Amino acid sequence: MRSGTLLKTIATFLLVGAAGLVAQENENGRVLYDRWCAECHGAEGLGDGSAAASMLPRPRTFSQARYQVRTTGSGQLPTDDDLMHVLNVGLPGTTMPGWPNLSDQQKRDVIEYIKSFSRFFAAGPAPEPLDFGSDPGGGPEALAAGAQAYLTLECEACHGAAGRGNGTSAPTLEDWRGFPIRAADLTEAWALNGGSSVNDIHTRVLTGLDGTPMPAAIDAMNSGVVSPDEVWQLAHYVASMGPRERPRLREVVRVERASEGLPQDGSDEAWGDIEAFFFPLAGQVIEVPRNFAPTVDGIWVEGVHDGSEMAFRVQWNDPSRSPDSEWDEWQAKILATMDLDGFEAPALDSTGAVTVRWPDAIRLQFPFEVPDGAERPYFLGGTTRQPVYLWTWSSNDGVGEGRGRGYGSVEPLPGELQGTAEWQDGRWTLYLRRPIAAGADGLTFSEGVPIPVAFSAWDGSSGETDKRAGVSSWYYVLLEQEPSNAVVVTPLIAILLTGAFGLVLVRRAQGRARA
Ligand code: HEC
Ligand code: HEC
């Protein structure tokens, strides 16, 4: 009897202890969740946290348990490893961050907690990953087969021929909550939610992205429309559509000195030899009305000059060629969905139909005078006291120059800037040309002197106008000098030289000490 009591005591202790431990774990998960996740995902996991209305895509609704980055079949729950992966690296291209600062145990706790929002996890057996087979490899033939599978499986309908998210169905897409959703720009693989490797892309294509219109290719594969190898080749093809890694950000656009003539337009082959510089854009969220989910998330800039004139090519991806009535439904949905933060959208009539269509636009902004030190005008379009010198382009009005005293206040200037723009397959190419010396108003560029520059972009079909822009911070444009020129030491070069000379001096001193 006595040993029975002891056993009972031990059993009770274990049970209570274990229960206490479980409660403790959930408590840890809850505390972590409330602290780090609830602001976006909502206290009850409904995807409705206080910051959610400014986001596109919206934070996940955990009570519904529809997950995108899975190794499991379409419509199935993710594995714990899948969720751990998302917590480790986040979802690139969205506001969902990675959580490298949480310990593995903390991540496991918070995963248990988000699973508890849905009864599905407790109901069934643990989800199992699919068998993904093995990659037959890439190469030109694989890419050709992949391109064919892209057509066979009608990826183009949403993602467009070049993969920039401009397919004919793109303006109508919405997620399971009815929010507008962009068909991913496959040429920016670094911003794909589930990663940019061939493996990652293969997994996403095969399993689909639950809760979005992106279908799972596994059904087409199982019914023989495409073979398992062709799905791998499709993944190789998608991965080849653009750079895998986010282009390295450099501070300075180097404007090369042309050995012979300037390129004549945006499609001139001479651009092929000129280095392109990538600058990321972020939503303008400092002044109201803010724009939390800008369409244009980066631009490429190339420049060349011949000592008297300079030419630039500016390129950026925008799936709509605004103004375009095909995108009315999209525009109406964006304006109805997003937190417009004081922006009076005159674009919808009482029936919710679009009445205003804005153009696409871009601005390059410079100071009127080359600053001595690091001082530059206010980066959001200048101010009354310190205006900015602008190169403007819009799909309605073409190219112009202007004096900017804040976003809404642009006074046109008579200038010699010329340019043309062309939209093709979800990408704008803008060609700009101007004498290096300015006319009456404007900025005279000088060779070898870094000139501050900043960029803004607008996608009219997403209701972007005025302050609802995508913006960059200040960078530099540097016109290369003729090699024979005397060395003019500019501030930027001085900084670089100081570093380099410093190193030389240290090396010399070390050498001497050794000797
Ligand atoms: C700044 C906002 C933000 C915060 C903070 C945030 N998330 Fe998210 N999260 C998102 C958004 C937005 C998505 C959906 C992105 C999409 O649909 O592509 C998301 C999606 C997810 C997903 C779904 C992944 C999938 O495969 O579908 C999980 C899991 C997740 N978040 C967990 C968390 C956890 C856990 C925390 C806290 C440690 C957290 N999130 C904090 C914004 C946030
Ligand atoms: C009905 C429209 C539609 C079709 C057809 C479609 N997709 Fe998508 N796809 C989408 C949407 C929408 C997203 C973005 C989902 C998001 O933002 O979370 C997407 C996302 C993706 C992604 C990014 C996954 C990630 O990690 O974020 C890849 C890769 C992709 N699609 C490839 C394909 C391929 C290949 C095909 C053809 C087999 C295809 N898609 C067919 C709508 C579609």
Side-chain angles (χ1 to χ4, degrees), residues 32-33 36-41 51 55 57-60 62 66-70 78 82-83 86-87 91 94-97 99 102 110-111 114 193:
L32 288 166
Y33 181 87
W36 300 112
C37 323
E39 210 179 318
C40 290
H41 290 282
M55 289 171 198
R58 290 289 156 89
R60 193 68 69 249
F62 294 127
R66 285 190 181 87
Y67 287 89
Q68 293 184 4
V69 179
R70 292 168 292 105
D82 292 340
L83 293 170
V86 168
L87 286 199
L91 296 173
T94 80
T95 51
M96 168 69 191
W99 299 91
L102 296 184
V110 83
I111 285 171
I114 62 175
N193 297 184

Side-chain angles (χ1 to χ4, degrees), residues 321-323 357-363 391-402 410-413 417-421 428 430-432 458 465-466:
R321 193 208 177 291
S322 317
R357 294 188 188 98
W358 291 283
D360 288 338
I362 199 142
R363 279 183 205 165
W391 290 358
T392 60
W393 168 84
S394 94
S395 51
N396 282 351
D397 302 327
V399 168
E401 294 178 38
V410 177
E411 169 201 340
L413 293 176
L417 184 71
Q418 292 172 3
T420 49
W428 277 108
L430 171 64
Y431 171 80
L432 295 169
W458 291 263
T465 177
D466 193 25

Side-chain angles (χ1 to χ4, degrees), residues 68 154-155 158-159 181-182 184 186 193-194 204 209 213-215:
Q68 293 184 4
E154 294 175 1
C155 313
C158 295
H159 293 285
I181 186 166
R182 295 180 194 285
L186 304 178
N193 297 184
R204 301 292 87 73
L209 300 173
M214 164 81 188

Side-chain angles (χ1 to χ4, degrees), residues 332-376:
K333 254 186 236 157
I334 290 275
L335 292 177
T337 312
M338 296 304 288
D339 178 357
L340 294 179
D341 211 0
F343 175 61
E344 296 280 337
L348 300 180
D349 67 15
S350 56
T351 67
V354 162
T355 57
V356 177
R357 294 188 188 98
W358 291 283
D360 288 338
I362 199 142
R363 279 183 205 165
L364 276 71
Q365 132 191 334
F366 310 91
F368 268 96
E369 270 153 37
V370 180
D372 277 342
E375 204 209 337
R376 287 157 302 187

Side-chain angles (χ1 to χ4, degrees), residues 33-395:
Y33 181 87
D34 286 348
R35 171 142 189 222
W36 300 112
C37 323
E39 210 179 318
C40 290
H41 290 282
E44 308 297 324
L46 298 176
D48 60 352
S50 57
S54 62
M55 289 171 198
L56 198 72
R58 290 289 156 89
R60 193 68 69 249
T61 303
F62 294 127
S63 55
Q64 291 289 328
R66 285 190 181 87
Y67 287 89
Q68 293 184 4
V69 179
R70 292 168 292 105
T71 54
T72 60
S74 175
Q76 291 184 10
L77 297 171
T79 65
D80 283 359
D81 285 349
D82 292 340
L83 293 170
M84 185 58 100
H85 171 78
V86 168
L87 286 199
N88 283 336
V89 301
L91 296 173
T94 80
T95 51
M96 168 69 191
W99 299 91
N101 296 337
L102 296 184
S103 70
D104 280 357
Q105 185 56 50
Q106 286 176 315
K107 281 180 237 178
R108 278 194 289 274
D109 290 346
V110 83
I111 285 171
E112 281 316 310
Y113 189 69
I114 62 175
K115 283 161 68 176
S116 73
F117 285 124
S118 154
R119 58 198 168 75
F120 297 120
F121 283 98
E128 289 284 333
L130 294 177
D131 175 3
F132 291 94
S134 57
D135 182 357
E141 277 164 35
L143 292 184
Q148 183 53 51
Y150 191 78
L151 294 176
T152 310
L153 295 174
E154 294 175 1
C155 313
E156 190 175 340
C158 295
H159 293 285
R164 299 203 184 97
N166 60 312
T168 45
S169 305
T172 64
L173 298 178
E174 51 185 39
D175 68 10
W176 69 277
R177 292 167 79 185
F179 292 126
I181 186 166
R182 295 180 194 285
D185 182 342
L186 304 178
T187 66
E188 295 186 347
W190 66 85
L192 298 182
N193 297 184
S196 64
S197 72
V198 170
N199 239 328
D200 294 332
I201 294 171
H202 179 258
T203 304
R204 301 292 87 73
V205 170
L206 212 58
T207 64
L209 300 173
D210 288 355
T212 84
M214 164 81 188
I218 194 162
D219 300 331
M221 189 179 92
N222 288 341
S223 57
V225 180
V226 283
S227 70
D229 277 2
E230 282 165 340
V231 181
W232 277 106
Q233 288 158 341
L234 175 60
H236 278 278
Y237 174 66
V238 169
S240 75
M241 287 178 143
R244 244 26 113 73
E245 306 276 317
R246 175 185 279 281
R248 196 165 58 88
L249 173 64
R250 283 159 305 167
E251 298 286 317
V252 185
V253 180
R254 242 170 3 93
V255 180
E256 292 170 32
R257 203 181 160 103
S259 40
E260 56 205 71
L262 296 181
Q264 291 301 308
D265 57 32
S267 55
D268 196 314
E269 281 177 8
W271 291 113
D273 301 329
I274 291 163
E275 196 175 359
F277 296 84
F278 178 80
F279 298 98
L281 300 191
Q284 190 293 107
V285 295
I286 294 178
E287 297 179 13
V288 286
R290 300 183 172 91
N291 182 17
F292 286 96
T295 304
V296 183
D297 57 7
I299 67 173
W300 296 89
V301 184
E302 294 152 271
V304 60
H305 77 97
D306 63 7
S308 68
E309 272 194 291
M310 48 193 177
F312 290 89
R313 182 164 77 165
V314 184
Q315 295 184 296
W316 66 99
N317 293 0
D318 177 342
S320 56
R321 193 208 177 291
S322 317
D324 178 353
S325 57
E326 297 273 313
W327 285 79
D328 280 2
E329 186 183 334
W330 176 265
Q331 179 181 317
K333 254 186 236 157
I334 290 275
L335 292 177
T337 312
M338 296 304 288
D339 178 357
L340 294 179
D341 211 0
F343 175 61
E344 296 280 337
L348 300 180
D349 67 15
S350 56
T351 67
V354 162
T355 57
V356 177
R357 294 188 188 98
W358 291 283
D360 288 338
I362 199 142
R363 279 183 205 165
L364 276 71
Q365 132 191 334
F366 310 91
F368 268 96
E369 270 153 37
V370 180
D372 277 342
E375 204 209 337
R376 287 157 302 187
Y378 183 46
F379 81 107
L380 292 178
T383 56
T384 318
R385 282 164 137 241
Q386 214 182 359
V388 287
Y389 167 57
L390 295 171
W391 290 358
T392 60
W393 168 84
S394 94
S395 51

